[in-house]
Amino acid sequence: MFEKVTENTYAHTKGETIGNVGVIASETGNFLIDTSMFPKVARKIRIEIERIKKGKVAGAILTHYHADHTWGAMVFKDKPLHAHEFVHKNMKRSLAESWSQDAIESYLAANPERKEMLEGLEIILPNSVFKTREYRLSEDETIMLIRVGGHTDGSTLIFYEEENVLFAGDDLFAGIYPWGGDQTASPYAWINALDAILELKPKYIVPGHGPVQDNLKEVEHLKSYLKNVVATAETLAMENTTKEKVIEEMDKIGFHSPKSEEFKQATLHRFYEVISEKLSTQKE
Ligand SMILES: [Zn+2]
């Protein structure tokens, strides 16, 4: 199920996992990057990664808290689950809100085809939490975790220096309009996150959604789109244009097609909220 990216890195980007999944087969063992949405798929992943190299599973690393990247973690609960403290915070909040027992039951009632995939779901919180912007898994390990925010405030880049491979999580959607509707998303942090990727100059990028990239074009493309959206919204908002009109103008800026129109509108509304909040604090 995994495609080989470099000698010791692998990716699964075919959609079965919903959020892409990666593997770094390091000296210490095999690290899984994101756990897929479904326990049923995560069990298959575990069998697969136990076949890579010496078969030792060293743990899992989360790029951010969204369900399509974290709900398979229960299959790896006997191993360290690494994540930034904001990922932990957001998962804990979600457990009390959109991931409550009742919320999940109504989700399954609306999506009965996912019942089997989510059978026995148990949501596991990270048990190895880091608080700094940059975190190295261990002294002899060349895996860097860099919390940059953007798509969510806990969004973390995972960089395997040894082979120049970057796992971008959902700070990169390749070939499709990104989801930015999260209550912790920020277009400003997102632009900085993309700059951080450009600075690292990875040879390969495994995005959170879409195929593996062997160049930086999608990163540049998303960065220039976000800069354009921010500049348009800031200019209009400063001229006291109505929210509806600003969003209408943001909507006209060309980019990849979204999965659905609601998806794009939720993203633009969140971006507008962050931009107008920034402008109002500047005025004070
Ligand atoms: Zn996400």
Side-chain angles (χ1 to χ4, degrees), residues 63-69 151-152 155 169-170 173 179 182 209:
T63 60
H64 66 297
Y65 80 100
H66 288 153
D68 58 332
H69 297 257
H151 170 75
T152 65
S155 285
D170 285 359
F173 280 63
W179 167 248
D182 188 272
H209 296 267

Side-chain angles (χ1 to χ4, degrees), residues 128-141:
S128 169
V129 173
F130 68 99
K131 296 181 176 181
T132 46
R133 181 180 185 269
E134 291 188 16
Y135 175 76
R136 201 173 282 275
L137 276 186
S138 70
E139 261 174 45
D140 49 354
E141 205 57 76

Side-chain angles (χ1 to χ4, degrees), residues 2 23-24 41 44 56 67 69-70 78 95 102 107 123 126 147 184 210 221 223 241 271-272:
F2 282 98
V23 177
I24 300 172
V41 176
K44 267 171 66 183
K56 187 180 167 234
H69 297 257
T70 61
D78 56 323
L95 276 172
D102 288 352
Y107 171 79
I123 295 168
R147 202 281 299 180
T184 70
H221 189 35
K223 183 186 157 186
T241 314
F271 287 175
Y272 174 83

Side-chain angles (χ1 to χ4, degrees), residues 21-259:
V21 170
V23 177
I24 300 172
S26 78
E27 289 296 317
T28 328
N30 300 335
F31 285 96
L32 176 70
I33 294 152
D34 287 344
T35 64
S36 91
M37 181 162 183
F38 308 118
K40 194 178 171 179
V41 176
R43 281 189 275 274
K44 267 171 66 183
I45 291 172
R46 177 132 192 183
I47 294 167
E48 285 279 327
I49 71 171
E50 283 172 351
R51 287 186 186 138
I52 295 173
K53 293 280 162 105
K54 290 176 189 151
K56 187 180 167 234
V57 182
I61 309 166
L62 301 177
T63 60
H64 66 297
Y65 80 100
H66 288 153
D68 58 332
H69 297 257
T70 61
W71 279 9
M74 59 182 285
V75 176
F76 298 85
K77 68 176 176 184
D78 56 323
K79 302 289 176 187
L81 181 60
H82 304 280
H84 187 267
E85 62 172 333
F86 291 174
V87 176
H88 186 277
K89 166 200 77 177
N90 288 327
M91 288 182 80
K92 225 175 138 187
R93 170 179 48 79
S94 300
L95 276 172
E97 297 169 2
S98 56
W99 298 354
S100 70
Q101 200 81 36
D102 288 352
I104 290 175
E105 267 164 38
S106 37
Y107 171 79
L108 289 175
N111 301 276
E113 75 286 353
R114 291 202 161 164
K115 251 187 194 149
E116 196 209 337
M117 305 293 281
L118 288 165
E119 184 89 66
L121 173 69
E122 192 189 331
I123 295 168
I124 302 292
L125 294 177
N127 55 16
S128 169
V129 173
F130 68 99
K131 296 181 176 181
T132 46
R133 181 180 185 269
E134 291 188 16
Y135 175 76
R136 201 173 282 275
L137 276 186
S138 70
E139 261 174 45
D140 49 354
E141 205 57 76
T142 58
I143 304 172
M144 277 298 290
L145 277 50
I146 311 161
R147 202 281 299 180
V148 285
H151 170 75
T152 65
D153 59 1
S155 285
T156 300
L157 306 174
I158 293 149
F159 187 47
Y160 188 47
E161 293 168 342
E162 199 97 352
E163 295 180 355
N164 217 354
V165 181
L166 182 92
F167 297 84
D170 285 359
D171 273 337
L172 188 65
F173 280 63
I176 186 169
Y177 193 88
W179 167 248
D182 188 272
Q183 60 181 280
T184 70
S186 159
Y188 297 104
W190 207 326
I191 292 166
N192 292 338
L194 296 168
D195 274 331
I197 297 178
L198 293 171
E199 246 168 69
L200 291 168
K201 296 190 184 67
K203 192 159 192 287
Y204 295 97
I205 304 176
V206 180
H209 296 267
V212 175
Q213 304 292 303
D214 64 1
N215 61 68
L216 298 169
K217 279 182 207 148
E218 281 287 318
V219 179
E220 299 273 13
H221 189 35
L222 177 58
K223 183 186 157 186
S224 78
Y225 170 72
L226 292 176
K227 284 186 84 167
N228 210 342
V229 165
V230 168
T232 302
E234 282 185 347
T235 309
L236 291 171
M238 276 188 287
E239 291 164 358
N240 292 320
T241 314
T242 63
K243 176 180 174 178
E244 286 67 32
K245 183 72 188 156
V246 177
I247 292 176
E248 203 183 303
E249 292 303 314
M250 290 161 88
D251 196 15
K252 285 182 189 160
I253 300 166
F255 197 58
H256 295 310
S257 318
K259 195 167 94 180

